[in-house]
Amino acid sequence: MQKEFDDLLEKNFDIKFNDESLLDEAFTQASYVNEHPGKNLKFYERIEFLGDAVYELVVSDYIYRRYPKLPQGRLTRLRAAMVNEHSFSSFARECHFDKYIRLGKGEEKAHARDRDSLLCDIFESFIGAVYLDQGMKPVVKFCHQVIFPKLDEGWFDEFFDHKTELQELAQADGPVDIEYHLLDENGPDNDRRFKVSVTVDDVEKGVGEGHSKKNAEQGAAKQAIKKYTE
Amino acid sequence: MQKEFDDLLEKNFDIKFNDESLLDEAFTQASYVNEHPGKNLKFYERIEFLGDAVYELVVSDYIYRRYPKLPQGRLTRLRAAMVNEHSFSSFARECHFDKYIRLGKGEEKAHARDRDSLLCDIFESFIGAVYLDQGMKPVVKFCHQVIFPKLDEGWFDEFFDHKTELQELAQADGPVDIEYHLLDENGPDNDRRFKVSVTVDDVEKGVGEGHSKKNAEQGAAKQAIKKYTE
């Protein structure tokens, strides 16, 4: 199992631990330690504490540099979306981390392995273990591979109200007039499509499509935001 | 003024900025930018966003390594005490940062320079600016000079209930018997002194003194905690 996990980390993420005991600690729950007394095992919580701060900095640094015009409020909201239990547990599953957690029998029976809160902890403790073993660089590389592409895939969009953000951004230097215009509406009743544009002071800044007018407006606002922040 | 500040940073903290504009940005409030339109000035908020995460990692890394036996819960409480508006504003004053903030006239009149919340922001944005200019190392060095010695000086003690913590620590591996014993009590009524020891399973682990029995017990517990965590 350990060998299988080592191979997975090396093959998928080019990560090879110098100190395997850090990886063991990061993937061991207290329930497992309690079932193996006298072995002097450690569980993941302290490493998770550190991993939490490491991940937060890596994300902050990335979005700070990537969006040079994004104001603090929106940076903070974006970070909160990326540092979030729901996101973490998905990442952990995607990386197959759930398979390698060491649990006590009771926790195994209680399906702890599928529990979002545990997967969230394990994701953070993995980050902490990589940092302790090899410093920041491989953590940053891991995030570039697993996390940051999700920004472009719209993974964190559900956390945002693009229309409100566009208003904040566009009005940063004074009042402006933002309007949404229905450009097109077609398709049968059960698969209706809407196309909407957004203008700021009568200049078109974005176009969006969707199955509802609301979705199409959010899409248009999202496209317009890009023009203000990239 | 700028020259004076550069000299202060170099003399007191051995920090010399490569990119002075980062330092300017970190010490400029929005009110100042608004009063100087067309100069394309930036205010500190984005750098503060980053500095917040940098400082949190530096503190987390330090206390993780310094207290190798401290459980996650106590690490988290200690970090919260060290990442705290009250602490930040005191640090900023101690470093004389308040003197070099660029404020608009209205904010100056409203005594913003003495406002804890602003000093807190500026402390974080300073950290962010050093990190952007020179990376982690000088931030860590700065914290070793300004922040970490305060741990030994008891600066963060007010955030802790040492007796509760001692109980948590001592009982981590099973139930134990913790007792406090009054060893001595002397001095006049208006300057009474108490001396108390604490035993864990009848072994003395710490002694404390104070103007009340409660304070003396907290001191004894604090001394005992050291034995468990260092």
Side-chain angles (χ1 to χ4, degrees):
Chain A
M1 193 72 146
Q2 187 59 54
K3 171 82 173 67
E4 188 183 306
F5 190 30
D6 287 345
D7 290 348
L8 178 143
L9 291 179
E10 193 166 358
K11 183 167 161 265
N12 292 357
F13 309 116
D14 197 23
I15 292 174
K16 200 174 152 47
F17 272 77
N18 301 307
D19 180 356
E20 285 274 349
S21 75
L22 289 167
L23 188 59
D24 289 345
E25 184 176 338
F27 278 75
T28 302
Q29 207 208 25
S31 63
Y32 185 90
V33 175
N34 295 337
E35 279 187 13
H36 298 79
K39 283 199 172 178
N40 206 14
L41 295 174
K42 291 176 176 174
F43 51 93
Y44 68 74
E45 291 191 355
R46 275 176 46 89
I47 295 195
E48 179 213 344
F49 161 85
L50 187 57
D52 165 77
V54 172
Y55 180 74
E56 183 148 330
L57 176 55
V58 172
V59 166
S60 303
D61 186 297
Y62 178 75
I63 63 178
Y64 175 88
R65 293 178 206 266
R66 170 155 177 185
Y67 304 109
K69 292 180 181 171
L70 213 57
Q72 185 191 36
R74 210 179 155 238
L75 283 172
T76 303
R77 285 204 296 281
L78 180 56
R79 177 167 71 190
M82 297 175 77
V83 182
N84 161 291
E85 184 171 311
H86 173 71
S87 304
F88 284 168
S89 54
S90 302
F91 303 156
R93 283 194 188 92
E94 182 188 322
C95 299
H96 305 293
F97 288 171
D98 50 334
K99 214 173 145 186
Y100 302 98
I101 307 168
R102 300 200 293 184
L103 293 169
K105 281 173 196 145
E107 281 289 276
E108 192 72 81
K109 261 193 179 163
H111 304 288
R113 197 176 292 283
D114 306 320
R115 205 183 291 145
D116 277 3
S117 59
L118 175 63
L119 289 170
C120 167
D121 290 352
I122 292 294
F123 182 77
E124 290 184 299
S125 64
F126 171 74
I127 297 278
V130 174
Y131 171 78
L132 284 169
D133 195 58
Q134 301 171 40
M136 274 300 216
K137 267 196 184 170
V139 178
V140 173
K141 194 177 153 200
F142 173 81
C143 290
H144 270 280
Q145 184 184 342
V146 175
I147 318 290
F148 300 150
K150 292 186 168 52
L151 269 168
D152 296 310
E153 293 162 16
W155 179 283
F156 305 107
D157 284 4
E158 61 180 295
F159 298 92
F160 293 104
D161 170 10
H162 298 302
K163 286 176 70 176
T164 305
E165 280 160 44
L166 175 59
Q167 205 169 326
E168 286 172 16
L169 279 171
Q171 297 185 337
D173 299 319
V176 293
D177 185 30
I178 301 175
E179 277 174 16
Y180 292 87
H181 315 268
L182 185 62
L183 300 182
D184 195 19
E185 185 182 342
N186 57 50
D189 272 4
N190 64 348
D191 189 27
R192 206 88 183 130
R193 301 281 303 173
F194 298 84
K195 191 172 176 181
V196 166
S197 75
V198 59
T199 57
V200 178
D201 284 341
D202 296 326
V203 180
E204 185 176 296
K205 295 286 186 181
V207 173
E209 294 189 48
H211 284 293
S212 70
K213 241 196 278 187
K214 199 181 145 205
N215 279 350
E217 285 175 3
Q218 287 287 337
K222 190 184 168 190
Q223 204 179 74
I225 286 167
K226 275 203 165 183
K227 297 203 175 146
Y228 283 92
T229 56
E230 285 184 359
Chain B
M1 193 71 145
Q2 186 59 55
K3 172 81 172 68
E4 189 182 307
F5 191 28
D6 287 345
D7 290 348
L8 178 143
L9 290 180
E10 193 167 357
K11 184 167 160 264
N12 292 357
F13 309 116
D14 197 22
I15 291 174
K16 199 173 152 48
F17 272 79
N18 301 307
D19 180 356
E20 285 273 351
S21 75
L22 288 168
L23 189 59
D24 290 345
E25 184 176 337
F27 278 75
T28 302
Q29 206 207 25
S31 63
Y32 185 90
V33 175
N34 295 337
E35 277 187 14
H36 297 80
K39 282 201 173 176
N40 206 15
L41 295 174
K42 290 175 177 175
F43 51 92
Y44 68 74
E45 291 192 355
R46 275 176 47 89
I47 295 193
E48 179 213 347
F49 161 85
L50 188 57
D52 163 77
V54 172
Y55 180 74
E56 181 147 333
L57 176 56
V58 172
V59 166
S60 302
D61 186 297
Y62 179 74
I63 61 178
Y64 174 88
R65 292 176 206 267
R66 171 158 177 184
Y67 304 110
K69 290 180 183 173
L70 213 56
Q72 184 192 37
R74 209 176 156 241
L75 284 171
T76 303
R77 286 204 296 280
L78 180 55
R79 177 168 69 191
M82 297 175 76
V83 181
N84 163 291
E85 183 170 313
H86 172 72
S87 303
F88 284 167
S89 54
S90 303
F91 303 154
R93 282 194 189 91
E94 181 188 322
C95 299
H96 307 291
F97 289 170
D98 51 334
K99 215 173 144 185
Y100 302 99
I101 306 169
R102 301 200 292 185
L103 293 170
K105 281 172 196 147
E107 280 289 277
E108 193 72 83
K109 262 192 177 162
H111 303 289
R113 199 176 289 282
D114 306 320
R115 204 183 291 147
D116 276 2
S117 59
L118 175 64
L119 291 170
C120 168
D121 290 351
I122 292 293
F123 182 78
E124 290 185 298
S125 63
F126 171 74
I127 297 279
V130 175
Y131 170 78
L132 283 170
D133 194 59
Q134 300 171 41
M136 275 299 215
K137 267 196 182 169
V139 177
V140 173
K141 195 178 153 200
F142 173 82
C143 290
H144 271 280
Q145 184 184 342
V146 176
I147 317 288
F148 301 150
K150 292 185 167 53
L151 268 168
D152 296 311
E153 292 162 15
W155 179 282
F156 305 106
D157 284 4
E158 61 181 295
F159 298 91
F160 294 104
D161 169 10
H162 297 303
K163 286 177 69 176
T164 305
E165 279 160 45
L166 176 59
Q167 205 169 327
E168 285 171 15
L169 279 172
Q171 296 186 338
D173 300 318
V176 293
D177 185 31
I178 301 175
E179 276 175 16
Y180 292 86
H181 314 269
L182 185 63
L183 300 181
D184 195 18
E185 183 181 344
N186 58 49
D189 272 2
N190 64 348
D191 189 27
R192 206 90 183 127
R193 301 279 303 172
F194 299 84
K195 190 173 176 182
V196 165
S197 74
V198 58
T199 56
V200 178
D201 284 343
D202 296 327
V203 180
E204 186 176 296
K205 296 286 185 181
V207 173
E209 293 189 47
H211 284 292
S212 69
K213 240 197 279 187
K214 201 183 144 204
N215 278 350
E217 286 175 1
Q218 287 286 339
K222 189 185 168 190
Q223 205 180 72
I225 286 168
K226 276 203 165 181
K227 298 204 175 143
Y228 282 93
T229 56
E230 284 183 359

